[in-house]
mmCIF file of all heavy atoms in Angstrom:
data_model
loop_
_atom_site.group_PDB
_atom_site.id
_atom_site.type_symbol
_atom_site.label_atom_id
_atom_site.label_comp_id
_atom_site.label_asym_id
_atom_site.label_seq_id
_atom_site.Cartn_x
_atom_site.Cartn_y
_atom_site.Cartn_z
ATOM 1 N N GLY B 1555 -41.380 -84.777 -2.740
ATOM 2 C CA GLY B 1555 -41.511 -86.043 -2.050
ATOM 3 C C GLY B 1555 -42.316 -86.014 -0.768
ATOM 4 O O GLY B 1555 -42.397 -86.997 -0.059
ATOM 5 N N LEU B 1556 -42.924 -84.878 -0.457
ATOM 6 C CA LEU B 1556 -43.746 -84.843 0.734
ATOM 7 C C LEU B 1556 -45.208 -84.815 0.321
ATOM 8 O O LEU B 1556 -45.555 -84.288 -0.724
ATOM 9 C CB LEU B 1556 -43.427 -83.599 1.559
ATOM 10 C CG LEU B 1556 -42.101 -83.694 2.299
ATOM 11 C CD1 LEU B 1556 -41.775 -82.380 2.948
ATOM 12 C CD2 LEU B 1556 -42.180 -84.793 3.344
ATOM 13 N N PRO B 1557 -46.070 -85.376 1.163
ATOM 14 C CA PRO B 1557 -47.473 -85.469 0.766
ATOM 15 C C PRO B 1557 -48.141 -84.103 0.646
ATOM 16 O O PRO B 1557 -48.950 -83.887 -0.234
ATOM 17 C CB PRO B 1557 -48.105 -86.284 1.884
ATOM 18 C CG PRO B 1557 -47.156 -86.189 3.034
ATOM 19 C CD PRO B 1557 -45.806 -85.996 2.464
ATOM 20 N N ALA B 1558 -47.824 -83.175 1.496
ATOM 21 C CA ALA B 1558 -48.462 -81.869 1.437
ATOM 22 C C ALA B 1558 -47.674 -80.929 2.312
ATOM 23 O O ALA B 1558 -46.902 -81.343 3.154
ATOM 24 C CB ALA B 1558 -49.898 -81.939 1.940
ATOM 25 N N ALA B 1559 -47.864 -79.684 2.082
ATOM 26 C CA ALA B 1559 -47.144 -78.710 2.889
ATOM 27 C C ALA B 1559 -48.017 -78.189 4.020
ATOM 28 O O ALA B 1559 -49.232 -78.237 3.945
ATOM 29 C CB ALA B 1559 -46.713 -77.550 2.017
ATOM 30 N N PHE B 1560 -47.379 -77.714 5.036
ATOM 31 C CA PHE B 1560 -48.031 -76.918 6.074
ATOM 32 C C PHE B 1560 -48.982 -77.686 6.975
ATOM 33 O O PHE B 1560 -49.784 -77.095 7.683
ATOM 34 C CB PHE B 1560 -48.740 -75.715 5.468
ATOM 35 C CG PHE B 1560 -47.785 -74.765 4.792
ATOM 36 C CD1 PHE B 1560 -48.087 -74.229 3.555
ATOM 37 C CD2 PHE B 1560 -46.590 -74.429 5.389
ATOM 38 C CE1 PHE B 1560 -47.207 -73.362 2.926
ATOM 39 C CE2 PHE B 1560 -45.709 -73.557 4.779
ATOM 40 C CZ PHE B 1560 -46.014 -73.018 3.536
ATOM 41 N N ASN B 1561 -48.934 -79.033 6.936
ATOM 42 C CA ASN B 1561 -49.721 -79.770 7.914
ATOM 43 C C ASN B 1561 -48.997 -79.791 9.245
ATOM 44 O O ASN B 1561 -47.798 -79.561 9.308
ATOM 45 C CB ASN B 1561 -49.888 -81.224 7.471
ATOM 46 C CG ASN B 1561 -50.838 -81.333 6.302
ATOM 47 O OD1 ASN B 1561 -51.767 -80.538 6.203
ATOM 48 N ND2 ASN B 1561 -50.591 -82.293 5.438
ATOM 49 N N GLY B 1562 -49.755 -80.124 10.267
ATOM 50 C CA GLY B 1562 -49.134 -80.447 11.539
ATOM 51 C C GLY B 1562 -49.414 -81.899 11.832
ATOM 52 O O GLY B 1562 -50.415 -82.446 11.382
ATOM 53 N N SER B 1563 -48.543 -82.522 12.593
ATOM 54 C CA SER B 1563 -48.791 -83.924 12.896
ATOM 55 C C SER B 1563 -48.342 -84.259 14.306
ATOM 56 O O SER B 1563 -47.392 -83.670 14.825
ATOM 57 C CB SER B 1563 -48.075 -84.822 11.880
ATOM 58 O OG SER B 1563 -46.724 -84.433 11.756
ATOM 59 N N GLY B 1564 -49.048 -85.193 14.894
ATOM 60 C CA GLY B 1564 -48.692 -85.634 16.232
ATOM 61 C C GLY B 1564 -49.132 -87.078 16.443
ATOM 62 O O GLY B 1564 -50.213 -87.471 16.024
ATOM 63 N N VAL B 1565 -48.253 -87.852 17.043
ATOM 64 C CA VAL B 1565 -48.577 -89.228 17.394
ATOM 65 C C VAL B 1565 -48.428 -89.353 18.905
ATOM 66 O O VAL B 1565 -47.389 -88.982 19.455
ATOM 67 C CB VAL B 1565 -47.624 -90.230 16.706
ATOM 68 C CG1 VAL B 1565 -47.938 -91.662 17.149
ATOM 69 C CG2 VAL B 1565 -47.709 -90.096 15.189
ATOM 70 N N VAL B 1566 -49.470 -89.839 19.547
ATOM 71 C CA VAL B 1566 -49.422 -90.042 20.995
ATOM 72 C C VAL B 1566 -49.567 -91.535 21.249
ATOM 73 O O VAL B 1566 -50.521 -92.152 20.785
ATOM 74 C CB VAL B 1566 -50.553 -89.263 21.700
ATOM 75 C CG1 VAL B 1566 -50.573 -89.575 23.197
ATOM 76 C CG2 VAL B 1566 -50.381 -87.765 21.455
ATOM 77 N N ARG B 1567 -48.596 -92.092 21.927
ATOM 78 C CA ARG B 1567 -48.635 -93.530 22.206
ATOM 79 C C ARG B 1567 -48.410 -93.775 23.686
ATOM 80 O O ARG B 1567 -47.427 -93.291 24.250
ATOM 81 C CB ARG B 1567 -47.560 -94.240 21.403
ATOM 82 C CG ARG B 1567 -47.546 -95.754 21.645
ATOM 83 C CD ARG B 1567 -46.571 -96.457 20.726
ATOM 84 N NE ARG B 1567 -45.210 -96.272 21.151
ATOM 85 C CZ ARG B 1567 -44.183 -96.035 20.340
ATOM 86 N NH1 ARG B 1567 -44.371 -95.919 19.045
ATOM 87 N NH2 ARG B 1567 -42.977 -95.895 20.814
ATOM 88 N N VAL B 1568 -49.323 -94.498 24.290
ATOM 89 C CA VAL B 1568 -49.082 -94.929 25.663
ATOM 90 C C VAL B 1568 -48.383 -96.280 25.576
ATOM 91 O O VAL B 1568 -48.849 -97.196 24.912
ATOM 92 C CB VAL B 1568 -50.397 -95.020 26.461
ATOM 93 C CG1 VAL B 1568 -50.120 -95.501 27.883
ATOM 94 C CG2 VAL B 1568 -51.088 -93.654 26.501
ATOM 95 N N GLN B 1569 -47.246 -96.372 26.218
ATOM 96 C CA GLN B 1569 -46.438 -97.592 26.176
ATOM 97 C C GLN B 1569 -47.042 -98.639 27.107
ATOM 98 O O GLN B 1569 -47.889 -98.311 27.949
ATOM 99 C CB GLN B 1569 -45.020 -97.281 26.649
ATOM 100 C CG GLN B 1569 -44.390 -96.051 26.056
ATOM 101 C CD GLN B 1569 -43.530 -96.361 24.855
ATOM 102 O OE1 GLN B 1569 -43.718 -95.790 23.788
ATOM 103 N NE2 GLN B 1569 -42.613 -97.285 25.010
ATOM 104 N N ALA B 1570 -46.566 -99.833 27.007
ATOM 105 C CA ALA B 1570 -47.130 -100.920 27.819
ATOM 106 C C ALA B 1570 -46.948 -100.685 29.321
ATOM 107 O O ALA B 1570 -47.706 -101.201 30.132
ATOM 108 C CB ALA B 1570 -46.511 -102.251 27.408
ATOM 109 N N ASP B 1571 -45.955 -99.885 29.698
ATOM 110 C CA ASP B 1571 -45.760 -99.627 31.130
ATOM 111 C C ASP B 1571 -46.503 -98.373 31.607
ATOM 112 O O ASP B 1571 -46.304 -97.915 32.736
ATOM 113 C CB ASP B 1571 -44.270 -99.517 31.457
ATOM 114 C CG ASP B 1571 -43.607 -98.338 30.771
ATOM 115 O OD1 ASP B 1571 -44.288 -97.651 29.965
ATOM 116 O OD2 ASP B 1571 -42.414 -98.087 31.027
ATOM 117 N N GLY B 1572 -47.318 -97.818 30.737
ATOM 118 C CA GLY B 1572 -48.116 -96.664 31.152
ATOM 119 C C GLY B 1572 -47.427 -95.329 30.970
ATOM 120 O O GLY B 1572 -47.996 -94.286 31.251
ATOM 121 N N THR B 1573 -46.177 -95.328 30.506
ATOM 122 C CA THR B 1573 -45.549 -94.056 30.148
ATOM 123 C C THR B 1573 -45.993 -93.689 28.733
ATOM 124 O O THR B 1573 -46.638 -94.487 28.045
ATOM 125 C CB THR B 1573 -44.013 -94.137 30.211
ATOM 126 O OG1 THR B 1573 -43.565 -95.107 29.263
ATOM 127 C CG2 THR B 1573 -43.539 -94.511 31.610
ATOM 128 N N CYS B 1574 -45.629 -92.512 28.316
ATOM 129 C CA CYS B 1574 -46.185 -92.018 27.056
ATOM 130 C C CYS B 1574 -45.095 -91.470 26.152
ATOM 131 O O CYS B 1574 -44.180 -90.779 26.609
ATOM 132 C CB CYS B 1574 -47.207 -90.929 27.382
ATOM 133 S SG CYS B 1574 -48.007 -90.248 25.939
ATOM 134 N N THR B 1575 -45.184 -91.795 24.875
ATOM 135 C CA THR B 1575 -44.258 -91.253 23.890
ATOM 136 C C THR B 1575 -45.053 -90.400 22.910
ATOM 137 O O THR B 1575 -46.087 -90.830 22.405
ATOM 138 C CB THR B 1575 -43.569 -92.390 23.109
ATOM 139 O OG1 THR B 1575 -43.010 -93.298 24.045
ATOM 140 C CG2 THR B 1575 -42.473 -91.836 22.222
ATOM 141 N N VAL B 1576 -44.555 -89.222 22.673
ATOM 142 C CA VAL B 1576 -45.223 -88.303 21.743
ATOM 143 C C VAL B 1576 -44.230 -88.019 20.623
ATOM 144 O O VAL B 1576 -43.106 -87.584 20.893
ATOM 145 C CB VAL B 1576 -45.590 -86.985 22.459
ATOM 146 C CG1 VAL B 1576 -46.316 -86.047 21.517
ATOM 147 C CG2 VAL B 1576 -46.417 -87.270 23.706
ATOM 148 N N THR B 1577 -44.606 -88.273 19.384
ATOM 149 C CA THR B 1577 -43.707 -87.913 18.281
ATOM 150 C C THR B 1577 -44.421 -86.893 17.404
ATOM 151 O O THR B 1577 -45.595 -87.042 17.084
ATOM 152 C CB THR B 1577 -43.282 -89.142 17.444
ATOM 153 O OG1 THR B 1577 -44.402 -89.974 17.267
ATOM 154 C CG2 THR B 1577 -42.175 -89.902 18.101
ATOM 155 N N ILE B 1578 -43.663 -85.875 17.061
ATOM 156 C CA ILE B 1578 -44.278 -84.748 16.352
ATOM 157 C C ILE B 1578 -43.469 -84.366 15.125
ATOM 158 O O ILE B 1578 -42.287 -84.707 15.018
ATOM 159 C CB ILE B 1578 -44.435 -83.520 17.295
ATOM 160 C CG1 ILE B 1578 -43.122 -83.186 18.002
ATOM 161 C CG2 ILE B 1578 -45.531 -83.784 18.309
ATOM 162 C CD1 ILE B 1578 -43.202 -82.004 18.936
#
Side-chain angles (χ1 to χ4, degrees):
Chain B
L1556 286 173
F1560 297 136
N1561 288 328
S1563 50
V1565 177
V1566 175
R1567 180 174 76 221
V1568 179
Q1569 313 265 126
D1571 64 355
T1573 62
C1574 181
T1575 308
V1576 182
T1577 41
I1578 51 180

